[in-house]
Amino acid sequence: MAYEPVLTRYVREPNSFTLEHYLQHQRGYEGLRTALGRAPGDIIEQVKASGLRGRGGAGFPTGLKWQFVLKDTPKPKYICCNADESEPGTFKDHVLMERNPHLLIEGCAIACYAIGAKVAYIYIRGEFYHVQQVLEAEIAKAYAAGYLGKNIFGSGFDCDVFVHRGAGAYEAGEETALIESLEGKRAQPRLKPPFPAVAGLYQCPTAVNNVETLCNVPPIVLNGAEWFAALGPEKNGGPKLYCVSGHVKRPGVYEATMHTTLRELIYDERFAGGMLDERPLKAIIPGGSSVPLLLPDELDTPASFDHVQKAGSLLGSAGMIVLNDTVCMVWLAQNLLHFYRHESCGKCTPCREGGDWLYKLLQRVESGEGREKDIDLLYGVASNITGKTLCAFGDAAATPVLTTIARFRAEFEAHVREGRCTIPAEWRARQPMLAGHH
Amino acid sequence: METVTLTIDGRPVTVDKGKTVLQAAIESGISVPYYCYHPGLGVDGSCRVCIVKIEKMPKLQTSCSTTCADGMVVTTRDEDVVKARAGIFEFLLVNHPLDCPVCDKGGECPLQDFSYAFGPAESRMDFPRRVFDGEGVKADVDFGPTLMLNRNRCILCTRCVRFMREVEGDAQIGIVDRGNGSEIATFREEGVHSLLSGNLMDVCPVGAITTRDYRFKSRPWDNPNVVDTICTRCSKGCSTSAWLKAKPEWARGSQLIRMTPRYNPAVNDYWMCDIGRFGYHWIEGEQRLRRPMVRRGSALESCAWHDVLPKVREQIQQAGTADPSSVRFLVSAHAATEELFVLRQTIDGLMGADARGSVSLTWARSEKTQPAGTRFVVPATDAPNVRGAHDLGFAVGAGHDGAPDLGALRAAVEGGRVRVLYVIDPGPDGSLGDVAWVAAARRAGTLPFLVVQGVVRHDLVEAADVVLPGATSTEKDALYTNDQGMVQPSSRAILPPGEAQEDWRILVSVARALGLSLSYDSSDAVRVALAAAMPGTAYAGAGAVTFSRPIPSRNWLQASNPSERWKWDFMFQDLPPVKGHSVQMEGVPVKDIIPLKPTQA
Ligand SMILES: Cc1cc2nc3c(=O)[nH]c(=O)nc-3n(C[C@H](O)[C@H](O)[C@H](O)COP(=O)(O)O)c2cc1C
Ligand code: SF4
Ligand code: SF4
Ligand code: FES
């Protein structure tokens, strides 16, 4: 039986974002009404039982995260919705917020009820100005209809949802940097512990959840944990959004279960529909730019958290970057490091200093000026970053270097040997812009 | 206090509960480097050099941010840690200019020392270094009235940022831009304007923040000696170190080269204010009084001590015989407890204890402009010993928190009822407060005789009949009682200039001239008598107080900060064998070798 999308079924319809459409077609706010009729602890138990895992990158079980939120405290608690979506190759939250905003709003309200919060902040990426407009207009409608605000459904439960637009920094998507930014400070991460569940926003217990994660909550409440878990492989249940980009015929956001393999996502007519110009696949980055490459012989891996990890990469944000044989792997690493060196928050030494150094080395090798020892140096510098930084950004920045050298060392050697890129010039994508270069 | 016991490098270590692994290592003399950690500031965890391996933890952990737990097993020197740490040191030097020979921090720089001890032998970085402000020439910028900032040297440890936020209470320093372009900055480049600015030089682990006062004046090895003492510029009484520049007898210029704070949790923690730190130049300044002087007509002329004392005796005896209340003392609260004690004995002996009212204490007050939330409050009372004078039974106006009360004395002087006014003024210019009325009374002819026992030539000295050169607190061993009632020793760092004498000695000479049989031959003897006279008080131990003598100063950090002191005591001498020296030097004792890269040898 063909999979019927849950989160994105109506997004192509012109009015999918309106409250009326949501009420009419998606049993809008019935999940919230149902939840308010039960104990908050029940909701947490149900989400735990569903096996819902965070869609922001780490795949941490959402119910567990909510359970960790400190209960016995006189302080207020908060839900922070991570809508910073800045991982290269990732563009799914954007679609949900723009085309199905009430699903997120309802998810925020249920999450607040479950952890005992009264306020949710949606921290939205600085560039998503238009999306913010849509969200705010729809939030206003939800208030007017009594789905937000005081005494929702006469239950005594109050809930406010605010949208806060960031200033455009990838690192602001790291959960503690997000909290700092929300507090009006520089988007730099905090030391953990304490975790946000204990001391988050304004030092109060906080759960940070991705947009897609929260959008899965109303369907779980409505359809039950078993329904959700049964949709995918064990511990990888529920609907999943995949952002397929790169050298494919139809790049886009596709909803599927995590049974779906990488091959299907690239070649199946329901999804990206095959390689662009029928060129051969060279590699795929399955989880946004921060995860290791997979090669064509790994394409039958189901795109689930656990299967992709077992194959040696990570599902991450499910941003599938598909690369064909025209891509120079040195250039790829350089392109990505251009991003990471520009986005490093600069707080800790290895990432601040090492990222820039890696970029310079890659530029040298890519331009044909590199020396034999630069390859080992690249690998050594990247290894010196990995695992030594304050936040996971450092690992993310080192990964493109480590994975391209591990998998395509010969291309690096060819650059050094020939003194130039060995990919035919007409194939090569354009050089990255040197914005922000010091 | 509850304790926990953990193992570091195979050694059991017991520390107070709540301490971090880094603190535990420091306390037990195990070397773990650190930059962003400072014991007086909040934990940041950003420099990453303090990483260690902890059993059952998947990754290396920063020891500064890991709280000790019972049974924890920590390794600071296995291969993984050594390699990872060296990698981070390599990163720290990727953009550091290595202009050590022209850097004020050179020779006392934790970046130098830790890099030698823990860094790789050579950097693999061969790109041009990052420079701010263009060609490296404008790297040095003004950083407010007291400081300079060299951004190229900064390692972004954010100690300065946190000091301003947490201690000063006004977050004037921030970081602008991000990533590799991050730089230390102040709003519109206005620099730091703070009464505590000098502490930023102390906390900065590199030569990025330097003080204009000390800049280019000396090198650490030129300052071989340091004296542990206290600051006497206000009633707080911060623990400090006075640094002495080595110079031959004949060389001109001053010997005091800088003042730095010394850790004292009960008074000043790791800090001191700029008034005490930078306000020492007057001590060896041109205006110091070096010889006794007497008035001849309109001029003051130098003379010998044995000529000047009889004049003082004569005037006091004459006035005292005619009317005991016509001899009055105007005493600065910069006078040390020993001096006040000798004065008390003199008055008691000559006129009886009832006559103590002939002494009026005075001091200057200035309300300091500080942020409301500051953790380091500089008191308004600009004198060290109001409490001491009070404890000795002298009237002190509104007390150590308030203003002096000179109303009665002033009325008596202006009314012509005072024939001899004896001023004791061992503090800096201005520390008597507003006493212009004294000189005015001299000019008006209502005050017949004025004695000034002081240290700097100022308006009151110009109006005096007799001038007796005394000693500043830096030039004598003396006790002062701070606003908390703590009796603190201030140690002699240098000698009084010329023929100037310690004030207790001058007062003893005057008392003897007046016929009293005081037999003190040292300030120790005065303190012994003081202790005997005040049993059961904070002064009962005064006879046994010890004073610091010049001690080898290897590094200022050792004095300001116990964990840094550990570093210098324990590790600096314990540097690993010099790396990469040439074959010709084989067999030469390591201590005789200056480390060079092989390519330079
Ligand atoms: C450098 C960095 C950037 C991140 N960016 C995002 C982001 O844009 N959106 C997001 O949801 N999570 C992002 N994360 C993951 C968050 O830290 C956090 O794990 C997530 O928001 C938790 O939500 P979830 O449990 O629902 O996935 C980022 C993490 C790192 C280290
Ligand atoms: S790894 Fe360090 S510098 Fe990089 S983003 Fe995280 S905290 Fe900032
Ligand atoms: S100026 Fe000094 S104290 Fe401030 S961040 Fe830089 S190195 Fe650290
Ligand atoms: S001292 Fe621990 S990270 Fe800087």
Side-chain angles (χ1 to χ4, degrees):
Chain A
M1 201 184 76
Y3 171 73
E4 184 72 59
V6 178
L7 311 174
T8 57
R9 177 166 174 188
Y10 300 102
V11 295
R12 287 175 189 282
E13 294 184 10
N15 291 327
S16 69
F17 64 93
T18 62
L19 181 57
E20 297 70 40
H21 191 281
Y22 186 59
L23 293 173
Q24 196 179 346
H25 296 282
Q26 297 189 61
R27 297 168 68 193
Y29 293 99
E30 271 182 44
L32 177 58
R33 188 195 297 272
T34 311
L36 294 184
R38 292 159 46 191
D42 284 358
I43 308 298
I44 296 183
E45 284 309 318
Q46 189 176 32
V47 172
K48 269 169 73 181
S50 76
L52 171 62
R53 294 169 69 169
R55 268 49 171 159
F60 189 82
T62 305
L64 214 51
K65 188 183 275 190
W66 290 357
Q67 195 183 346
F68 288 155
V69 173
L70 209 61
K71 292 200 180 50
D72 298 325
T73 165
K75 291 181 174 178
K77 296 169 207 164
Y78 296 104
I79 287 287
C80 289
C81 170
N82 192 340
D84 193 54
E85 189 161 69
S86 309
E87 177 84 10
T90 310
F91 38 85
K92 61 192 176 62
D93 298 342
H94 181 293
V95 173
L96 288 172
M97 289 187 284
E98 192 182 359
R99 304 304 306 166
N100 203 359
H102 287 284
L103 184 61
L104 175 61
I105 298 166
E106 187 178 357
C108 285
I110 298 175
C112 281
Y113 179 71
I115 69 157
K118 288 188 165 61
V119 179
Y121 290 97
I122 300 176
Y123 184 98
I124 192 167
R125 175 178 169 157
E127 289 85 346
F128 288 0
Y129 180 70
H130 167 68
V131 185
Q132 181 195 18
Q133 304 280 24
V134 174
L135 259 182
E136 287 190 334
E138 296 310 313
I139 286 171
K141 287 189 192 140
Y143 270 104
Y147 302 131
L148 291 178
K150 300 269 175 250
N151 194 19
I152 299 167
F153 296 129
S155 67
F157 172 63
D158 304 337
C159 184
D160 287 309
V161 177
F162 301 105
V163 183
H164 179 95
R165 198 154 57 91
Y170 170 55
E171 178 61 8
E174 196 282 340
E175 55 183 3
T176 57
L178 179 148
I179 288 169
E180 286 279 294
S181 175
L182 203 49
E183 289 182 6
K185 304 179 201 144
R186 287 165 66 79
Q188 291 190 321
R190 295 177 180 170
L191 280 170
K192 293 185 258 190
F195 290 90
V198 174
L201 185 62
Y202 307 117
Q203 298 300 317
C204 300
T206 303
V208 182
N209 292 112
N210 170 259
V211 171
E212 186 189 343
T213 311
L214 290 172
C215 284
N216 274 301
V217 173
I220 291 173
V221 172
L222 282 177
N223 305 324
E226 298 69 28
W227 161 81
F228 187 89
L231 280 181
E234 202 191 339
K235 293 197 183 130
N236 292 269
K240 181 75 199 87
L241 299 191
Y242 296 97
C243 321
V244 188
S245 67
H247 297 132
V248 290
K249 290 209 172 103
R250 288 193 298 126
V253 179
Y254 298 100
E255 182 175 333
T257 71
M258 289 189 255
H259 287 300
T260 319
T261 63
L262 299 175
R263 185 183 304 284
E264 287 172 302
L265 286 167
I266 297 172
Y267 291 100
D268 197 291
E269 280 310 319
R270 287 171 296 156
F271 306 115
M275 293 298 291
L276 192 65
D277 304 333
E278 315 301 334
R279 293 203 78 98
L281 176 80
K282 184 166 183 179
I284 174 170
I285 312 180
S289 60
S290 308
V291 307
L293 293 162
L294 293 178
L295 299 185
D297 60 0
E298 288 152 324
L299 279 189
D300 292 318
T301 309
S304 79
F305 290 106
D306 293 336
H307 288 98
V308 176
Q309 184 166 10
K310 218 160 126 208
S313 186
L314 293 162
L315 184 63
S317 62
M320 311 256 156
I321 304 172
V322 181
L323 307 164
N324 70 15
D325 62 340
T326 66
V327 177
C328 162
M329 287 294 150
V330 182
W331 173 84
L332 175 76
Q334 183 197 339
N335 186 314
L336 291 179
L337 260 294
H338 176 259
F339 171 79
Y340 286 109
R341 77 167 283 292
H342 182 62
E343 293 293 340
S344 162
C345 85
K347 181 164 177 164
C348 74
T349 310
C351 169
R352 179 184 67 238
E353 305 293 336
D356 182 65
W357 192 5
L358 286 177
Y359 177 65
K360 286 179 177 147
L361 284 167
L362 286 164
Q363 254 184 330
R364 182 154 84 192
V365 174
E366 218 284 321
S367 67
E369 307 283 312
R371 287 157 270 184
E372 186 64 43
K373 64 175 188 184
D374 283 351
I375 305 169
D376 285 337
L377 184 52
L378 272 165
Y379 204 88
V381 170
S383 312
N384 282 350
I385 298 174
T386 305
K388 283 128 205 140
T389 53
L390 181 66
C391 81
F393 183 112
D395 295 351
T399 297
V401 174
L402 297 175
T403 186
T404 49
I405 296 181
R407 300 268 184 158
F408 295 95
R409 190 180 173 104
E411 280 189 36
F412 285 77
E413 286 165 354
H415 276 72
V416 170
R417 202 174 47 241
E418 313 258 322
R420 64 183 176 87
C421 181
T422 49
I423 298 278
E426 66 274 20
W427 287 1
R428 291 181 46 185
R430 289 181 47 202
Q431 294 285 329
M433 282 181 14
L434 293 185
H437 190 80
H438 290 278
Chain B
M1 189 81 194
E2 248 184 285
T3 60
V4 293
T5 299
L6 63 163
T7 311
I8 308 181
D9 294 339
R11 270 173 55 188
V13 170
T14 301
V15 293
D16 289 344
K17 199 173 170 179
K19 293 252 159 139
T20 63
V21 172
L22 178 60
Q23 285 168 330
I26 290 169
E27 279 180 18
S28 43
I30 294 168
S31 32
V32 175
Y34 53 90
Y35 292 117
C36 65
Y37 169 74
H38 184 290
L41 302 172
V43 168
D44 198 50
S46 60
C47 76
R48 316 301 291 176
V49 299
C50 70
I51 46 173
V52 296
K53 188 186 270 183
I54 299 176
E55 239 178 58
K56 299 202 191 89
M57 297 211 184
K59 292 199 295 187
L60 300 179
Q61 300 288 318
T62 44
S63 57
C64 69
S65 62
T66 308
T67 309
C68 294
D70 263 320
M72 209 177 227
V73 180
V74 180
T75 312
T76 77
R77 50 190 69 205
D78 78 354
E79 208 186 311
D80 293 344
V81 180
V82 168
K83 184 167 174 290
R85 195 161 52 197
I88 294 165
F89 273 98
E90 187 180 38
F91 286 140
L92 276 172
L93 293 186
V94 159
N95 281 305
H96 192 75
L98 297 178
D99 58 346
C100 311
V102 294
C103 173
D104 252 4
K105 206 74 156 208
E108 52 182 8
C109 172
L111 187 61
Q112 283 181 332
D113 305 327
F114 281 143
S115 291
Y116 270 123
F118 298 106
E122 247 184 287
S123 174
R124 298 172 292 175
M125 147 83 186
D126 55 2
F127 292 98
R129 293 186 150 75
R130 174 191 55 214
V131 284
F132 293 102
D133 309 316
E135 306 312 324
V137 278
K138 269 174 41 221
D140 269 327
V141 293
D142 288 355
F143 204 41
T146 53
L147 304 173
M148 299 293 286
L149 171 68
N150 183 321
R151 291 191 172 96
N152 293 348
R153 295 181 188 146
C154 170
I155 58 167
L156 290 165
C157 69
T158 70
R159 281 184 181 184
C160 58
V161 177
R162 283 173 286 140
F163 176 84
M164 292 305 283
R165 194 183 297 153
E166 297 170 19
V167 183
E168 162 73 13
D170 179 9
Q172 292 175 28
I173 307 182
I175 295 178
V176 297
D177 207 334
R178 70 178 178 212
N180 199 242
S182 303
E183 54 180 300
I184 288 296
T186 52
F187 182 59
R188 293 197 322 214
E189 288 284 87
E190 280 166 5
V192 175
H193 296 260
S194 157
L195 201 51
L196 308 182
S197 72
N199 297 299
L200 294 166
M201 181 277 271
D202 295 350
V203 299
C204 182
V206 295
I209 297 178
T210 52
T211 66
R212 291 174 192 237
D213 183 62
Y214 183 67
R215 199 171 143 87
F216 300 149
K217 234 165 58 175
S218 188
R219 300 301 255 162
W221 46 88
D222 296 329
N223 314 329
N225 289 316
V226 70
V227 176
D228 286 350
T229 183
I230 62 165
C231 177
T232 57
R233 294 301 295 251
C234 80
S235 55
K236 193 176 183 101
C238 294
S239 293
T240 61
S241 296
W243 290 75
L244 302 178
K245 188 170 170 116
K247 67 184 185 93
E249 277 293 289
W250 42 264
R252 284 174 59 84
S254 54
Q255 243 197 310
L256 277 179
I257 195 79
R258 64 179 167 182
M259 295 287 182
T260 55
R262 199 157 49 83
Y263 178 59
N264 183 343
V267 179
N268 55 302
D269 279 335
Y270 303 90
W271 326 116
M272 73 186 292
C273 83
D274 288 354
I275 300 169
R277 185 190 294 265
F278 300 132
Y280 62 89
H281 296 275
W282 67 280
I283 294 169
E284 293 179 274
E286 294 293 319
Q287 294 304 310
R288 278 302 297 277
L289 299 170
R290 309 171 144 263
R291 298 193 65 192
M293 293 187 289
V294 291
R295 176 161 303 281
R296 294 211 209 288
S298 63
L300 284 168
E301 287 180 7
S302 297
C303 68
W305 280 103
H306 57 78
D307 288 334
V308 76
L309 287 173
K311 282 205 181 321
V312 176
R313 180 198 60 212
E314 209 172 280
Q315 291 292 328
I316 293 180
Q317 271 174 351
Q318 268 178 23
T321 319
D323 172 10
S325 73
S326 72
V327 178
R328 304 288 277 267
F329 297 86
L330 176 62
V331 181
S332 160
H334 276 264
T337 306
E338 292 83 342
E339 294 148 22
L340 293 165
F341 181 69
V342 172
L343 179 65
R344 188 176 92 173
Q345 278 192 315
T346 306
I347 290 168
D348 290 2
L350 288 175
M351 304 182 268
D354 292 347
R356 285 182 196 169
S358 64
V359 174
S360 301
L361 261 292
T362 186
W363 58 91
R365 280 176 65 79
S366 55
E367 290 297 340
K368 315 294 188 292
T369 318
Q370 287 192 274
T374 190
R375 235 169 65 192
F376 187 98
V377 177
V378 186
T381 297
D382 295 327
N385 208 21
V386 180
R387 271 299 278 269
H390 169 81
D391 292 349
L392 261 64
F394 293 113
V396 288
H400 64 87
D401 270 347
D405 178 8
L406 301 179
L409 176 65
R410 179 170 181 172
V413 167
E414 290 175 345
R417 297 192 296 278
V418 176
R419 300 195 48 187
V420 175
L421 182 65
Y422 191 123
V423 177
I424 302 176
D425 177 24
D429 192 4
S431 51
L432 293 171
D434 174 20
V435 289
W437 50 271
V438 177
R442 281 284 293 154
R443 282 194 299 276
T446 50
L447 175 60
F449 198 76
L450 175 65
V451 181
V452 177
Q453 173 180 331
V455 291
V456 281
R457 190 151 184 157
H458 50 53
D459 288 351
L460 204 58
V461 169
E462 299 301 343
D465 296 279
V466 168
V467 178
L468 306 175
T472 68
S473 61
T474 318
E475 295 154 352
K476 59 199 178 195
D477 289 344
L479 300 177
Y480 301 89
T481 307
N482 76 358
D483 51 16
Q484 302 181 59
M486 297 165 65
V487 180
Q488 303 198 101
S490 163
S491 303
R492 184 177 68 228
I494 55 176
L495 294 171
E499 293 168 30
Q501 290 188 4
E502 295 186 19
D503 295 84
W504 67 270
R505 192 183 290 281
I506 300 174
L507 290 168
V508 166
S509 303
V510 170
R512 284 215 189 109
L514 289 167
L516 288 178
S517 60
L518 297 184
S519 58
Y520 305 123
D521 56 356
S522 69
S523 64
D524 286 334
V526 180
R527 280 183 291 274
V528 169
L530 167 72
M534 300 184 71
T537 68
Y539 301 87
V545 171
T546 53
F547 291 84
S548 164
R549 287 291 155 256
I551 49 168
S553 65
R554 287 193 308 282
N555 185 284
W556 61 267
L557 290 161
Q558 68 167 334
S560 68
N561 176 330
S563 57
E564 303 277 4
R565 183 193 290 266
W566 157 77
K567 189 190 85 185
W568 287 88
D569 286 353
F570 174 81
M571 205 183 62
F572 192 52
Q573 313 153 63
D574 200 22
L575 289 180
V578 169
K579 298 154 188 155
H581 58 79
S582 71
V583 275
Q584 292 98 303
M585 300 296 269
E586 221 91 274
V588 178
V590 162
K591 69 176 173 45
D592 294 341
I593 300 175
I594 298 168
L596 291 174
K597 281 169 60 171
T599 46
Q600 295 167 311

